[in-house]
Amino acid sequence: TYADFSDMTLTSVNGMCGGVNNASAINFETIIFKNTTITTGNLNGFIKSCEIENLDLSGIKFTANITDISSAFLNCTKLKKIDLSTWDLRYLTSIRSCFAGCNALEQLILPETHLITCAEGGSKRLDIMYAFQNLKSLKKLDLSMVYGQADGTYRYMEDSTSMEEYYFQNLTTYFLLSSSKLNSSTVLSLNKTL
């Protein structure tokens, strides 16, 4: 089974694979985004619970600022690689549960050129609660492009026991290593810890 969104303009992308509001998930083997335009910045539940193994997101063009990718890839248990390097994530306010439950995820590529800035003490903070929970196959997480303050850091990596490298040097919040089961000897760059 496949879904082809080539040459389409999508105005809403919440729950494209089902799995929303207790609906059964659709098990696509392939989703094609080629010359696809998305006109919303809210990708909450984007392909949540989709049983896809490979996904090319480089063919998506956004006409609105991406602000919310909460649960966008939640429980995509077969997905091995997520490449968001072409996405402009500067306006994000939430990645809550975004990648949680992606047990097979081995590679997560975030943009290097677009910095995610969260004003400390300001109105814009990045909600990362549960964002990287239960990632059993991911060995490296680089959040060095995130600057400022993030909320929900005390539960953001719970049960992600396979990680060997972590990069967080630009976040000015506290990370609770014990509750996230991080090994402090493998944290390569971290601003503050408790």
Side-chain angles (χ1 to χ4, degrees):
T1 314
Y2 74 96
D4 188 348
F5 298 103
S6 297
D7 300 311
M8 294 178 96
T9 298
L10 305 175
T11 58
S12 176
V13 293
N14 304 93
M16 291 179 67
C17 292
V20 177
N21 297 328
N22 297 322
S24 297
I26 301 168
N27 294 324
F28 292 120
E29 294 173 13
T30 305
I31 299 178
I32 301 167
F33 294 104
K34 183 177 179 184
N35 195 31
T36 304
T37 300
I38 295 178
T39 62
T40 179
N42 182 354
L43 279 73
N44 189 326
F46 178 44
I47 60 165
K48 175 183 175 181
S49 301
C50 197
E51 294 293 319
I52 190 168
E53 290 184 30
N54 299 297
L55 181 64
D56 183 359
L57 299 168
S58 64
I60 299 175
K61 180 179 84 173
F62 291 93
T63 60
N65 294 332
I66 303 169
T67 57
D68 187 351
I69 57 173
S70 301
S71 304
F73 304 96
L74 175 67
N75 293 328
C76 290
T77 58
K78 294 182 180 179
L79 196 57
K80 294 181 180 180
K81 177 181 176 182
I82 298 174
D83 185 350
L84 303 181
S85 62
T86 60
W87 290 19
D88 182 348
L89 300 178
R90 290 179 289 178
Y91 305 97
L92 269 184
T93 56
S94 181
I95 60 171
R96 178 181 284 248
S97 301
C98 184
F99 309 104
C102 293
N103 298 330
L105 188 65
E106 297 172 354
Q107 191 174 18
L108 175 60
I109 304 168
L110 297 172
E112 293 179 12
T113 55
H114 299 125
L115 302 178
I116 303 166
T117 305
C118 311
E120 187 169 350
S123 61
K124 183 183 174 205
R125 292 187 182 179
L126 183 63
D127 179 359
I128 63 172
M129 179 82 80
Y130 307 115
F132 307 101
Q133 184 180 35
N134 280 328
L135 300 181
K136 303 294 186 189
S137 303
L138 191 67
K139 297 194 182 310
K140 176 182 175 182
L141 179 61
D142 185 353
L143 294 181
S144 60
M145 79 294 301
V146 181
Y147 284 76
Q149 187 162 350
D151 291 333
T153 54
Y154 62 95
R155 309 262 333 240
Y156 76 108
M157 271 178 83
E158 194 170 68
D159 297 324
S160 292
T161 54
S162 65
M163 288 202 209
E164 298 170 357
E165 297 179 41
Y166 315 89
Y167 299 91
F168 309 113
Q169 66 264 29
N170 299 312
L171 280 174
T172 57
T173 189
Y174 292 99
F175 290 84
L176 302 182
L177 297 180
S178 60
S179 67
S180 297
K181 298 182 182 176
L182 295 177
N183 178 344
S184 60
S185 65
T186 60
V187 177
L188 302 182
S189 294
L190 186 61
N191 246 7
K192 299 178 183 178
T193 60
L194 282 180

